[in-house]
Amino acid sequence: MAMTTSEEESSIPNSFDNKNGFNPQTGIYHSLVQLNEHQKIPSHPNLDIATYVLSHFPPPDKAEKQVAYIDSTTGRRLTYAQLHRSITSLASGLYHGLGLRKGDVVFILSPNSLLYPIICLAALHIGAIITTANPLNTEREIVKQVRDSRATLAISAPEETHKLLPTRVPILLTAKKDGQLSVEELIENCEYIEIPEAKPTQSDVAAILYSSGTTGTSKGVVLTHSNFISVVTLLKWSVDVTNARKDIFLCFIPIFHIYGLAFFGLGLVCTGNTIVLMKKYDFQEMLEAIEKHKVSNIPAVPSVILGLVKYNGGGRHYDLSSLRRVGSGAAPLSKEVIGKFRMKFPRVELRSGYGLTESCGATTLFSSDEEAEARPASSARLLPCFKAKVVDFETGLALPPYKEGELWLKSPTVMKGYLGNEEATAASFDSEGWLKTGDLCYFDDEGYVYIVDRIKELIKHNGYQVAPAELEAILLGHPHILDAAVIPMEDEAAGQIPVAYVVRADDAKLTEDQVIQFVNNKVAPYKKIRRVSFISAIPRSAAGKILRRDLISQSKHQMFSKL
């Protein structure tokens, strides 16, 4: 479905507005940035993502000393030379020792570790297809994904193997345990032997990543080597334009998610940067890692930003002076939270972005902090090689700046489709190959994108559409609210009403009426919060997105219990 690079370039018209990228004749928004000859996405068809990544490692004399990854818990360091040798040794062991072949699917079940990017790149180097899963998933969810993806080998952390037993798929452990074959053993004992089979090409499938399923059934997103080469090329460009080439990055985003895989597993090692890897997100451990390793850059999600804003020290002062940039993705960041972050951390750049699994994690980027500060509610401008439309739900017409509609995308990063689901794939693309994101948005007159909310999550109240994200932003502005989520509740008279779930500060004596009044004084009558439930934590996906389905199910259960 995605356009090739040459098609993308040849289709750029001369008649779009240089200020916002909008062409009124076609209704298409174009990126205002063009890549130069040295930055362009490689067009050679016989190229795979692993070869592309390895080709950008530092030269041998520098690779022996330059650190690629640091384990935040143990302090163990992996240089670029060690990383290269580990990838090629494991690829040889998987191919010659275990018989893994091009097109075979490898299921990876593990938390973040130094081994995770090695496993991904080794499998991709052979031409195998990777599919990743959250270790918190249940046995039922894991069995379903293994069977749906048709995995022929599972690579698992030792503590997770019991969930894989019903699949009867061969299991390779990540770490040594009880004499069972492991990734560590293959890396130590296998020397690289040339892999004779034809290498994967850009058009071959590289990964099947399953969407979080926050608004529906989880689907396998099919991404090609071309998709990943494109997104890594754009990431390399973004590191250059944002002057982040000598940063120390902190990774607590799970690598099984597109955000973690594209950014920390594949992209950043093409730039020569150092990545501090955390096994999983923990707020206190994050602060310790920043202090200990002098972290300068944190790609994060809104819940982490909110945690930093609300953090009051808790009796322990951490030195965060090394921090100079924080990025936010996966979900919109409210204007209120951004304002409070800038007040608390005036020397730290905060930049929001937008992407989705179906676009390989990329779509927009702020190239400077001045841009981000001037437009705090925006998700930045389109990345190079991206086109967009804002489409009216009822008429299907492409809309000009400041008109809200569904965001449609075209770029070389856009997925091939959903695995084995022709109906869902057809519903996600129009006849010309535009990806329908399902996100409500608008562009301003300078080409900046504003994500309003997920269309499926809009609350329909008396014929009006209410965006939960808008109400959540207001709630998070309350000094005694740590986190919040808004969901629809069915109502006989109005159709649906907005209901809030709120996490109070520990010492707060906040009441339902106080929360309702706080919000309702700031919104139009049809947007008013009607009910409030206090909760210990808002359920979120690994990427930080609110799991509204869980809250809706909980709400229905509470209603049923009262009957």
Side-chain angles (χ1 to χ4, degrees), residues 214-476:
T214 55
T215 59
T217 305
S218 180
K219 299 183 288 292
V221 176
V222 179
L223 298 168
T224 65
H225 285 264
S226 174
N227 293 148
F228 281 109
I229 289 169
S230 299
V231 82
V232 168
T233 301
L234 294 176
L235 176 61
K236 285 170 66 264
W237 167 84
S238 74
V239 165
D240 284 338
V241 299
T242 57
N243 193 29
R245 187 163 283 281
K246 293 184 179 180
D247 278 0
I248 296 176
F249 288 79
L250 181 63
C251 173
F252 46 75
I253 302 292
I255 300 179
F256 63 74
H257 186 270
I258 185 61
Y259 193 172
L261 177 60
F263 205 94
F264 297 104
L266 303 175
L268 278 178
V269 289
C270 288
T271 68
N273 285 87
T274 298
I275 303 158
V276 179
L277 270 179
M278 290 175 59
K279 184 176 181 180
K280 62 180 181 178
Y281 173 69
D282 178 90
F283 187 76
Q284 212 73 22
E285 290 178 13
M286 177 190 75
L287 298 177
E288 291 173 3
I290 295 171
E291 180 180 70
K292 180 179 179 180
H293 300 287
K294 306 300 180 187
V295 169
S296 55
N297 201 319
I298 306 177
V301 294
S303 56
V304 176
I305 312 296
L306 180 63
L308 287 167
V309 167
K310 302 277 185 177
Y311 181 64
N312 59 11
R316 165 74 159 91
H317 173 72
Y318 292 94
D319 181 5
L320 306 182
S321 60
S322 62
L323 196 60
R324 73 184 191 94
R325 181 176 295 127
V326 175
S328 181
L333 196 60
S334 77
K335 194 173 182 178
E336 287 76 11
V337 170
I338 292 171
K340 290 181 179 180
F341 181 90
R342 293 188 186 282
M343 286 181 64
K344 190 168 184 177
F345 302 98
R347 297 182 181 179
V348 180
E349 299 177 6
L350 177 62
R351 303 183 186 180
S352 298
Y354 168 79
L356 58 163
T357 306
E358 288 83 350
S359 68
C360 215
T363 299
T364 66
L365 175 79
F366 278 115
S367 59
S368 73
D369 192 49
E370 290 74 23
E371 276 188 297
E373 193 165 357
R375 297 162 187 84
S378 171
S379 293
R381 282 172 163 169
L382 293 174
L383 282 163
C385 305
F386 270 82
K387 295 179 179 180
K389 284 184 180 181
V390 179
V391 179
D392 185 272
F393 312 120
E394 296 180 0
T395 65
L397 296 176
L399 301 172
Y402 294 109
K403 297 290 186 181
E404 290 185 1
E406 183 179 12
L407 178 63
W408 290 14
L409 296 173
K410 262 190 185 182
S411 93
T413 71
V414 168
M415 70 170 180
K416 186 175 182 179
Y418 292 113
L419 180 68
N421 196 332
E422 293 181 7
E423 184 179 350
T425 300
S428 295
F429 290 94
D430 83 335
S431 59
E432 296 179 350
W434 288 91
L435 173 69
K436 305 174 185 179
T437 67
D439 286 312
L440 182 68
C441 82
Y442 66 90
F443 280 71
D444 69 12
D445 57 5
E446 293 189 355
Y448 290 89
V449 185
Y450 294 76
I451 304 297
V452 178
D453 215 329
R454 291 289 297 170
I455 292 169
K456 288 183 179 179
E457 293 176 354
L458 293 176
I459 299 168
K460 314 298 192 302
H461 180 79
N462 282 332
Y464 293 99
Q465 292 185 332
V466 181
E470 179 185 355
L471 298 176
E472 287 158 2
I474 294 171
L475 287 163
L476 293 175

Side-chain angles (χ1 to χ4, degrees), residues 137-179:
N137 285 0
T138 64
E139 179 183 294
R140 178 178 171 275
E141 291 168 322
I142 286 167
V143 170
K144 180 179 181 296
Q145 184 175 331
V146 169
R147 290 173 178 167
D148 187 65
S149 64
R150 298 183 180 179
T152 57
L153 173 69
I155 300 180
S156 173
E159 65 271 18
E160 303 297 338
T161 55
H162 63 282
K163 299 176 185 177
L164 286 159
L165 296 179
T167 68
R168 298 187 179 180
V169 171
I171 300 171
L172 175 67
L173 299 184
T174 53
K176 296 176 183 178
K177 184 182 180 183
D178 301 331

